[in-house]
Amino acid sequence: MVYEKNQLLTVEITDMTADGEGIGKVDGYPFFIKDAIIGDQARIRVTRAKKNYGYGRLEKVLMPSPFRIDAKCSFHRQCGGCQLQAMSYERQLQFKEDKVKNNLIRIGGFAPEFLDKVMEPIVEMENPFHYRNKALYPIGTGRDGKSIAGFYAGRSHNIIANTDCSLGVYENKEILEIILSYMRENHVSAYDEATGQGLIRHVLVRKGFQSGEIMVCLVLNAKSGRKNSDFLPGQAGLVNSLSKVNGIAGISVSINREHTNVIMGKEIHTIWGKKSIQDTIFIRNVEDDFAATGQGITFSISPLSFYQVNPVQTEKLYSLALSYAEISGKETVWDLYCGIGTISLFLASNAKQVYGVEIVPQAIDDAKQNAIQNDIKNAQFFVGSAEEIFPEKYANDGIRADVVVVDPPRKGCDRTCLETILKMAPERIVYVSCDSATLARDLCILCEDTYEIKRMRAVDMFPMTVHVETVVLIQRKDT
C-alpha cells in the first residue's frame, strides 16, 4: 500500500529506536513516531513516506502504554532535550540497558548469552530531576519582540521560551529572569543568527553541587580585546542584581563574534567575583551500594572547563571505573581523553604513576592546577591528541602501562590509539563510553584476539534522555 503525507493512521507502538522514537507497523510497513512510547496505541499523521519506511507525527494517544506517565515539564514534546520524560523511570532504565546490549550484539558481534554473563544492572539515580550542574540557554526574540531564554526545539534553532527546566538547578530560573528583565529595561538586544546582529547570544550557568558556588557567563556578540571592563550597557546594575542570587561566586562574559554553532568564545573576561568555581567529587564504595566514603577530590571549574554535568552520577561512574581498574599501588596508568583530570586524579590516589592526555590546552592547565590543589604528585599531563601523544611516548620514551583508561568523545577511540593499546598490551583496559555504538565498534577491535570483556555496567548519567554511559573492564586473556 502507498501511504501519503497527512494521512491519518492507527498504530500500535511495538518497539523504540535508540533515539527514543516509537516504532509502529501498518501491514508490515514501519513508521517512526517521535513522542510515542512502546505499548501505546496511537493515531498518527504521516509526515513522510519512503519506499520501505515512513515517519509520523503523534496526533493522539488512543490507549496509553502501561509505561506512559504524566511528564513533569509541559514543554517536553517541543524541546529537544527530554526524549523520554513521558516514560516511567523504571522503563527508561530498561530502554538504556537494551540500547547498550543491542548495539554490542548488532555492531560488536557479541553473543547475547555472553553479554548476559558480563553485564551488571544499570546504575540508576535516586532523584532523576534537577541534576544538571551546567546549562547553556540561547537568548532570542519572541514574536512579541521581547527577549526570551529557553532551549532549542528538536532539530531546529527555534527557541522554546522556558526559564524553568526540570533538569537544571533551581537557581537557573531566577538568574535568567534577572537577565531578561535587565535586557528589557536597558534595551539590550538578543542575538539574531540570521542577521548576525544583537548583543547577548547565550547564558551559561554552572553550579558546584558540593560547594554551592554558582558561575554565570554571558556570551556576547561584542568587540574583543577591550581594555575597560564595561562590555554591557548598564553593566553595574546587572552585576548588582546577579550578585544577590544565593551562591553566585563569579560573573563573566565570553566574546564570540563568529557565525558558527560553537557557543563559547575563547576570550573570557571576569567582570565580578571569581574566575572559577570549585566542586568536589567523592569516591563511592561500589561494593556497598555506592555508599559515600568521605574521600574526595576538589576541582576548579572555569567557563570553558569540561566537567560532567551530573555530579551525583559522576561519583558513581568514576568510582565504578576506579573499581574496575583494580589499582593496587604498583601500576602505571594512562588516562586517555582525560579532560580536566577527573578520572586521572581518582586513579592517582591508588596508582604508582598516572599519565593523562587531552587535546584541549586549557583542560590540561586545569588538570595540572587540580593536581596541585589536591597535593597529588604522581600525575603528569600532556597536551595533544591521544592518537599522537600515546604512541609517541610509548615508542620514544618507553613509557608503558599496566592499566589504560579511555573516556573518549562520542566518536569513540581513534584506530591508531587502539592499535597502540594492543601493542603496549596492558593487563587491563577500562573503557568509559558515552556512545554505545562506537563502544561496540571499538570493543570488537580490542577483543578480537588478546583481550576479553570481564565486566560491564551502564550508568544513567542523563535521566529523561536517551543517552547512557557505560563502563567496561577488558582483561588480557593471559593474566
Side-chain angles (χ1 to χ4, degrees):
M1 180 175 175
V2 178
Y3 298 99
E4 298 182 356
K5 187 176 181 179
N6 291 322
Q7 185 175 355
L8 290 173
L9 299 170
T10 298
V11 298
E12 180 178 355
I13 308 302
T14 56
D15 203 351
M16 294 180 72
T17 70
D19 292 327
E21 292 179 318
I23 304 174
K25 294 183 178 180
V26 180
D27 296 329
Y29 180 94
F31 281 95
F32 299 95
I33 306 110
K34 179 180 174 293
D35 302 315
I37 291 175
I38 188 166
D40 280 341
Q41 287 191 14
R43 180 180 298 130
I44 68 167
R45 186 179 298 275
V46 178
T47 56
R48 191 162 31 140
K50 293 179 174 288
K51 181 179 180 181
N52 296 316
Y53 62 92
Y55 294 91
R57 182 173 64 245
L58 180 64
E59 292 287 309
K60 184 178 182 180
V61 177
L62 302 175
M63 185 177 295
S65 163
F67 310 115
R68 180 174 283 279
I69 60 172
D70 292 331
K72 187 171 183 177
C73 175
S74 59
F75 297 102
H76 81 282
R77 286 187 62 174
Q78 301 103 302
C79 174
C82 291
Q83 305 91 348
L84 303 180
Q85 199 177 125
M87 179 188 286
S88 70
Y89 187 54
E90 292 74 18
R91 190 61 179 84
Q92 288 184 38
L93 296 173
Q94 183 182 335
F95 167 85
K96 294 182 182 188
E97 282 191 311
D98 291 344
K99 177 178 178 175
V100 173
K101 186 174 182 179
N102 290 338
N103 277 331
L104 289 170
I105 294 170
R106 182 175 56 87
I107 300 172
F110 295 95
E113 300 79 13
F114 169 74
L115 294 176
D116 287 339
K117 293 179 181 178
V118 298
M119 284 189 74
E120 299 169 340
I122 187 170
V123 180
E124 65 182 86
M125 189 171 190
E126 290 81 7
N127 177 15
F129 289 100
H130 299 291
Y131 60 80
R132 288 188 63 95
N133 60 12
K134 173 186 175 182
L136 266 165
Y137 288 88
I139 304 297
T141 305
R143 293 179 179 178
D144 59 0
K146 294 181 179 179
S147 296
I148 58 173
F151 293 103
Y152 293 125
R155 300 176 183 176
S156 80
H157 271 211
N158 298 321
I159 299 175
I160 305 297
N162 178 20
T163 59
D164 193 18
C165 173
S166 299
L167 302 190
V169 297
Y170 292 101
E171 293 88 349
N172 287 347
K173 186 176 188 294
E174 182 181 2
I175 290 167
L176 289 171
E177 290 181 353
I178 287 173
I179 293 172
L180 293 175
S181 176
Y182 151 80
M183 292 177 69
R184 288 192 297 269
E185 292 171 4
N186 291 270
H187 307 290
V188 175
S189 57
Y191 180 71
D192 186 330
E193 290 184 349
T195 65
Q197 302 299 309
L199 182 58
I200 301 183
R201 299 175 66 137
H202 285 80
V203 174
L204 165 69
V205 184
R206 307 188 81 156
K207 180 180 180 180
F209 273 38
Q210 295 293 338
S211 68
E213 293 183 330
I214 298 173
M215 161 198 305
V216 178
C217 181
L218 289 86
V219 183
L220 305 181
N221 178 37
K223 291 182 179 179
S224 60
R226 298 179 63 163
K227 294 182 180 179
N228 63 55
S229 59
D230 290 330
F231 294 88
L232 294 152
Q235 179 173 298
L238 174 63
V239 167
N240 181 58
S241 297
L242 286 175
S243 64
K244 293 177 180 176
V245 177
N246 187 38
I248 292 286
I251 305 169
S252 59
V253 296
S254 169
I255 307 302
N256 183 5
R257 292 182 60 84
E258 301 295 324
H259 295 281
T260 173
N261 285 334
V262 177
I263 295 173
M264 299 293 292
K266 296 179 181 179
E267 185 180 330
I268 307 289
H269 299 271
T270 302
I271 60 176
W272 182 87
K274 301 193 295 185
K275 66 178 182 179
S276 63
I277 60 174
Q278 292 192 333
D279 200 20
T280 302
I281 297 178
F282 289 96
I283 296 175
R284 303 282 192 106
N285 187 339
V286 175
E287 306 304 323
D288 186 19
D289 197 26
F290 293 97
T293 64
Q295 181 184 357
I297 297 171
T298 300
F299 296 91
S300 293
I301 308 160
S302 66
L304 295 178
S305 295
F306 171 79
Y307 191 69
Q308 289 279 10
V309 300
N310 185 336
V312 175
Q313 294 297 89
T314 294
E315 292 186 345
K316 299 176 185 178
L317 179 76
Y318 289 168
S319 297
L320 188 60
L322 180 62
S323 173
Y324 279 9
E326 299 177 20
I327 306 295
S328 66
K330 302 176 182 178
E331 295 86 358
T332 297
V333 183
W334 275 89
D335 178 16
L336 309 182
Y337 314 95
C338 71
I340 63 171
T342 40
I343 294 181
S344 303
L345 300 182
F346 262 64
L347 295 166
S349 60
N350 289 2
K352 177 183 177 183
Q353 178 68 40
V354 175
Y355 298 101
V357 182
E358 172 59 52
I359 198 169
V360 180
Q362 184 172 2
I364 289 296
D365 290 341
D366 288 342
K368 292 177 179 178
Q369 185 58 43
N370 288 327
I372 294 171
Q373 181 172 297
N374 290 277
D375 196 29
I376 294 174
K377 297 181 173 63
N378 60 333
Q380 186 175 353
F381 298 97
F382 304 105
V383 176
S385 65
E387 54 268 24
E388 292 179 359
I389 297 293
F390 188 45
E392 175 190 311
K393 294 297 178 182
Y394 172 61
N396 299 338
D397 300 341
I399 302 178
R400 303 182 64 85
D402 301 298
V403 178
V404 171
V405 177
V406 294
D407 185 7
R410 293 196 184 281
K411 67 178 182 179
C413 293
D414 183 89
R415 182 68 186 241
T416 304
C417 180
L418 295 176
E419 289 173 351
T420 303
I421 293 174
L422 292 171
K423 189 182 297 183
M424 190 180 286
E427 184 175 339
R428 287 179 298 284
I429 305 163
V430 178
Y431 196 130
V432 181
S433 167
C434 60
D435 188 300
S436 56
T438 54
L439 168 68
R441 179 202 67 198
D442 292 349
L443 289 179
C444 188
I445 296 169
L446 290 171
C447 299
E448 186 176 7
D449 184 26
T450 311
Y451 289 90
E452 63 182 349
I453 298 171
K454 300 300 289 186
R455 301 175 70 183
M456 178 188 307
R457 195 166 189 181
V459 179
D460 188 21
M461 290 284 289
F462 313 103
M464 309 301 137
T465 81
V466 296
H467 305 295
V468 59
E469 297 261 343
T470 312
V471 186
V472 186
L473 169 60
I474 308 155
Q475 187 87 24
R476 207 173 68 215
K477 292 180 181 178
D478 63 355
T479 57

